[in-house]
Amino acid sequence: MAVKSDFTLPMIISAGIHIGMLIIIALGMDFSDKPKPQPQVSALAMKAVVVDQKLVAQHVERLKAEKREVARKEKARQDDLERRATEARQQREREQAQIKKLEIERKQKEIETKNALAAAKAAQLKLKQEKEKAQQAEEFRKQKEKERQASEEAAKKAEAKRKQEEAAAKKAADERKRKAEADRKRKEDAERKRKAEERERQLQEQMMQDALAEEQAALSQTRNRQVMSEVQRYTSMIRATIQRNLLVDESMRGKTCRVFIRLANDGFVTGTKILSGDSAVCHATQAAINKAGRLPVSSEPDVYNELKEINLTVQPEFN
């Protein structure tokens, strides 16, 4: 609408000029019979028309240039709005991607926590089963011990009986000296019986000793497995305690420190020694041990003996 009005005004001005020129020409005309020459006036009118058309064309071109400038500015404004909208959309997409990443990391942490709890429960169940097996083995050993004692009691009775028989045989031999052949035969029979009973007793004792030795070996293996399981569990607890007190920074990532630790039976740290590793990690590890003061240890003597002096590798953990 603005462009149309811009064109209308020059056209009105141009028309007005033309009408004015025509009026001037008309007023200057002589209506007598004698014609008058008018070439000069016509030339001026034509020149005015030409000049006016040039002004109009220039004005039109100027209006077109202004329109183009307005269109250019409008396009630049629209491009700027689109650019800002694109940047805002990209920012939202980046924020949504970051939120999604954080959510994935949170879920991963939950899964790791559940897995750790499941592993701890499995370890406790395994320990309980091993204790039950050890208890069953102990009951079996006690039953075998009762059987052995019963067998020894029977052997003692048999020995007493044998001695009684020997005494009776001797008495009978004394009484039957005159019957030497019969007494000799009886004595030989009694001796053979005694030797057979002695061999039977020795065989039974040997069998009981072998069974007891096998039982003791089984109990020892079971206890050794229990001890090593407890040692691994307390070693993990010691490492976790050090990790909780460990001050880390990004320069320690992927680096380790190996340290020797001596513990009292109540877990009090009585001595440490850096064996090898990165100096920064080792310094942080030494500080973490000193800060803890006491580390987890078992109250069972055989487990504590495995833990009282340990070599531990510490690697900083990053969440």
Side-chain angles (χ1 to χ4, degrees), residues 5-15 52 55-56 59-60 63:
S5 63
D6 290 340
F7 277 106
T8 302
L9 179 61
M11 293 298 292
I12 294 173
I13 295 172
S14 176
D52 181 59
L55 291 174
V56 170
H59 187 68
V60 169
L63 293 175

Side-chain angles (χ1 to χ4, degrees), residues 41-106:
V41 175
S42 298
L44 291 172
M46 292 299 293
K47 184 176 181 181
V49 171
V50 171
V51 171
D52 181 59
Q53 290 177 346
K54 288 182 179 180
L55 291 174
V56 170
Q58 291 174 356
H59 187 68
V60 169
E61 287 299 324
R62 185 170 63 253
L63 293 175
K64 289 182 179 179
E66 292 176 353
K67 181 180 180 182
R68 287 194 298 271
E69 180 63 20
V70 170
R72 184 190 66 77
K73 291 181 178 179
E74 178 63 21
K75 185 177 183 303
R77 188 181 70 82
Q78 292 293 336
D79 291 343
D80 184 63
L81 291 176
E82 290 180 0
R83 179 182 60 78
R84 293 182 181 181
T86 301
E87 291 177 353
R89 185 180 70 256
Q90 292 175 349
Q91 180 63 25
R92 288 196 302 272
E93 291 175 353
R94 287 193 294 270
E95 292 175 352
Q96 291 174 355
Q98 181 65 18
I99 292 172
K100 185 176 180 180
K101 180 181 177 183
L102 293 174
E103 179 65 16
I104 292 173
E105 291 177 351
R106 183 188 65 78

Side-chain angles (χ1 to χ4, degrees), residues 248-256 281 315-319:
V248 300
D249 56 53
E250 197 61 31
S251 65
M252 300 179 184
R253 185 179 293 276
K255 299 178 181 178
T256 61
V281 177
Q315 182 174 7
E317 296 178 355
F318 293 85
N319 295 328

Side-chain angles (χ1 to χ4, degrees), residues 226-240:
Q226 292 176 347
V227 169
M228 294 311 297
S229 176
E230 285 293 285
V231 168
Q232 292 176 359
R233 185 167 73 91
Y234 275 94
T235 300
S236 298
M237 293 169 63
I238 291 172
R239 185 178 283 106

